[in-house]
């Protein structure tokens, strides 16, 4: 059973298969470079930013300050989702996506060039926070545009699998970010890495972004796609004066339920790629390169698992697959940290791999699921808001709360309890959404 049959649109049958694939490739590439730029900050926050930009106090205080800056980017994401969603529903998907790419490139490059606290004092953390806010706005604007490029031009019965190509941007971004950090660490000493090596991943992001932006704009020149986008934009402008006003007035519940259903996924994901990196290297004395390698390998498996879960959702329904993933996350929360606490690289890999499987099962159908909750004239706004609410309530605070819980309770089981609580919220939200779908 799909979520909201009434919200689906007719498939644009006139669009040739080659152009559908080109659009999907462009959306996936745009997503991948955006997430790469976004994730390099999370890795740097766990490894070096605390010492370089927040040097006062203990190492724990520095990490907390660094993760708080990481969370600021999430708080800014709804701003990008609201602005780009409103304009994207009225003026078209493509301009907002290109704007998001440009803003992300400028912000990420700025972080790579930013002087440290030792050089310019308090201005350094202030500027770091400002640039992180711009990153958050950019990624908040990007997801809805990339997701809709893929799902709105998907062939009949394949919306899930086409939407999953945008979701693949996350593991691709993680793999690429981890790879570049591993290379930067391999070719520098610890002192060189702290001095300048950590900046390389930020600066490389600009060149990848320029390439992706170029390819993306070439896709826009396809006549069939340009005609389809123009027709959609004209229809939306004539039918809907303010998508944001309509969402806030008539669909607040759906947006909040969408966010509640997905917060556990974003929280667990950022705990795995950022919080666990800090925990294992600072508390369990595991090697940075080894932990990054595990994260990279686990993320590679998502490249297969995400589209597989999306394909299953096309066949068996979004809710069934989505719920299975949420239940799995809840059941695995305690074994996950029992394995991590052994300090064994093998058990770390096993624990995070199983958790990643359940995350992929949720993440694969999520783009199509959120798209189907809203009609086309308000879809960019509604889907973006739901996603970014989950990002703020889940992902943005997760690494910070993880460090805080570990310091306060002295046990990683408190982090497991946090994940389980979010899983319960997710399952309740999913059930309400499913009940609403049955009633229509």
């Amino acid at each position: 059973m799909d979520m909201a049959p009434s919200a689906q649109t007719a498939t644009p049958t006139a669009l040739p298969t080659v152009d559908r694939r080109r659009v999907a490739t462009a959306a996936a590439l745009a997503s991948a470079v955006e997430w790469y730029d976004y994730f390099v900050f999370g890795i740097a926050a766990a490894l070096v930013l605390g010492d370089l930009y927040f040097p006062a106090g203990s190492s724990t205080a520095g990490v907390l300050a660094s993760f708080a800056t990481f969370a600021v980017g999430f708080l800014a994401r709804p701003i990008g989702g609201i602005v780009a969603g409103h304009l994207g529903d009225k003026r078209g998907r493509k301009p907002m996506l290109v704007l998001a790419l440009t803003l992300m490139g400028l912000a990420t490059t700025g972080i790579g060039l930013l002087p440290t606290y030792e050089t310019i004092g308090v201005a350094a953390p202030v500027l770091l926070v400002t640039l992180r806010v711009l990153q958050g706005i950019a990624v908040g604007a990007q997801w809805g545009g990339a997701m809709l490029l893929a799902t709105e031009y998907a062939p009949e019965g394949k919306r899930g699998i086409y939407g999953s190509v945008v979701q693949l941007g996350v593991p691709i971004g993680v793999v690429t970010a981890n790879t570049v950090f591993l290379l930067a660490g391999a070719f520098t000493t610890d002192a060189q890495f702290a001095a300048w090596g950590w900046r390389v991943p930020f600066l490389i992001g600009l060149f990848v972004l320029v390439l992706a932006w170029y390819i993306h704009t070439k896709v826009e020149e396809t006549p069939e796609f340009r005609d389809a986008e123009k027709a959609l934009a004209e229809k939306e402008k004539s039918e809907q004066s303010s998508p944001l006003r309509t969402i806030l007035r008539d669909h607040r519940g759906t947006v909040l339920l969408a966010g509640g259903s997905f917060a556990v996924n974003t929280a667990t994901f950022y705990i795995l790629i950022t919080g666990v990196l800090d925990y294992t290297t600072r508390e369990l004395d595991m090697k940075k390169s080894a932990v990054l390698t595990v994260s990279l390998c686990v993320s590679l498996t998502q490249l297969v698992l995400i589209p597989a879960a999306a394909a299953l959702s096309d066949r068996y329904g979004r809710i069934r697959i989505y719920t299975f993933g949420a239940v799995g996350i809840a059941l695995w929360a305690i074994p996950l940290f029992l394995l991590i606490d052994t300090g064994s690289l093998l058990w770390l890999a096993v624990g995070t791999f199983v958790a990643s499987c359940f995350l992929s099962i949720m993440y694969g159908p999520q783009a199509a699921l959120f798209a189907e909750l809203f009609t086309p004239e308000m879809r960019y706004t509604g889907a973006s808001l739901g996603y970014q609410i989950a990002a703020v309530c889940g992902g943005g605070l997760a690494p910070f709360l993880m460090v805080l819980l570990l310091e306060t309770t002295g046990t990683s089981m408190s982090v497991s309890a946090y994940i389980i609580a979010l899983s319960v919220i997710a399952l309740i939200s999913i059930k309400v959404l499913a009940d609403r779908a049955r009633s229509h």
Side-chain angles (χ1 to χ4, degrees):
M1 181 192 66
D2 284 335
M3 280 304 305
S6 61
Q8 301 201 31
T9 55
T11 301
T13 55
L15 196 63
T17 300
V18 65
D19 289 327
R20 294 184 199 275
R21 292 174 179 170
R22 189 178 301 172
V23 169
T25 300
L29 189 55
S31 176
V33 296
E34 283 271 302
W35 286 117
Y36 166 83
D37 282 2
Y38 198 69
F39 290 143
V40 293
F41 190 100
I43 297 173
L47 297 177
V48 296
L49 295 186
D51 292 334
L52 296 176
Y53 290 91
F54 308 96
S58 66
S59 60
T60 299
V63 171
L64 282 171
S66 182
F67 280 160
T69 304
F70 178 72
V72 165
F74 287 83
L75 296 176
R77 281 169 61 167
I79 299 174
I82 289 170
V83 174
H86 180 75
L87 294 176
D89 278 330
K90 295 189 71 174
R91 307 298 180 189
R93 314 327 191 182
K94 184 67 66 69
M96 295 302 102
L97 186 54
V98 171
L99 179 62
L101 291 170
T102 306
L103 183 59
M104 179 63 85
L106 294 174
T108 305
T109 304
I111 294 171
L113 298 173
L114 186 64
T116 63
Y117 186 93
E118 184 180 1
T119 304
I120 61 173
V122 72
V126 171
L127 290 171
L128 182 67
V129 170
T130 302
L131 291 169
R132 181 59 178 169
V133 167
L134 294 179
Q135 277 195 321
I137 291 172
V139 82
Q142 173 272 144
W143 181 80
M147 178 271 290
L148 291 179
L149 280 181
T151 59
E152 289 187 338
Y153 295 99
E156 186 68 32
K158 293 187 177 181
R159 179 174 279 170
I161 192 68
Y162 267 66
S164 73
V165 302
V166 175
Q167 310 296 67
L168 288 177
V170 170
I172 291 172
V174 172
V175 168
T176 309
N178 276 287
T179 299
V180 175
F181 266 102
L182 280 169
L183 292 174
F187 288 99
T188 60
T189 64
D190 288 344
Q192 289 172 333
F193 183 83
W196 57 267
W198 68 270
R199 298 180 183 274
V200 174
F202 289 91
L203 300 177
I204 287 177
L206 176 65
F207 296 101
V208 177
L209 182 55
V210 170
L211 176 63
W213 188 14
Y214 172 79
I215 295 174
H216 183 68
T217 55
K218 296 299 289 184
V219 171
E220 190 175 13
E221 295 176 2
T222 304
E224 294 88 348
F225 175 79
R226 198 161 53 235
D227 292 344
E229 182 182 51
K230 181 179 178 181
L232 178 61
E234 289 301 320
K235 177 182 177 182
E236 289 169 348
K237 284 188 287 186
S238 65
E239 293 182 358
Q240 185 74 16
S241 60
S242 178
L244 177 60
R245 186 182 302 117
T246 301
I247 286 289
L248 294 178
R249 185 185 64 223
D250 301 329
H251 302 279
R252 286 193 308 272
T254 302
V255 169
L256 292 173
L257 289 167
S261 76
F262 196 62
V264 64
N265 189 288
T266 57
T268 307
F269 175 78
Y270 284 103
I271 284 172
L272 291 180
I273 70 163
T274 302
V276 168
L277 176 59
D278 166 68
Y279 178 57
T280 53
T281 55
R282 185 167 57 87
E283 299 290 344
L284 303 180
D285 294 322
M286 299 178 72
K287 291 184 178 179
K288 172 186 66 180
S289 60
V291 177
L292 283 172
T293 300
V294 168
S295 179
L296 186 153
C297 293
V298 169
S299 295
L300 283 172
T301 65
Q302 292 184 313
L303 298 177
V304 176
L305 293 170
I306 287 174
L312 288 173
S313 79
D314 281 331
R315 183 170 182 178
Y316 298 108
R318 318 284 179 227
I319 284 292
R320 188 174 288 116
I321 304 303
Y322 199 65
T323 302
F324 182 80
V327 170
I329 292 172
L331 294 177
W332 191 246
I334 291 176
L336 169 64
F337 276 94
L338 290 176
L339 293 174
I340 291 173
D341 284 343
T342 64
S344 162
L345 199 63
L346 173 61
W347 290 121
L348 170 68
V350 171
T352 54
F353 169 72
V354 175
S356 178
C357 289
F358 291 123
L359 292 179
S360 299
I361 290 169
M362 281 192 76
Y363 201 57
Q366 184 255 340
L369 176 66
F370 278 30
E372 290 165 359
L373 291 174
F374 305 96
T375 53
E377 63 271 11
M378 65 183 73
R379 182 171 287 154
Y380 200 140
T381 303
S384 292
L385 274 178
Y387 187 92
Q388 303 314 332
I389 286 172
V392 171
C393 298
L397 295 174
F400 179 88
L401 287 176
M402 178 176 172
V403 174
L404 200 60
L405 286 169
L406 289 169
E407 286 294 310
T408 303
T409 66
T411 173
S412 61
M413 290 299 98
S414 60
V415 184
S416 297
Y418 169 56
I419 293 173
I420 292 170
L422 288 177
S423 299
V424 172
I425 293 172
L427 291 169
I428 293 172
S429 299
I430 293 168
K431 185 180 187 310
V432 175
L433 286 170
D435 290 343
R436 286 187 174 188
R438 292 191 195 98
S439 66
H440 284 83

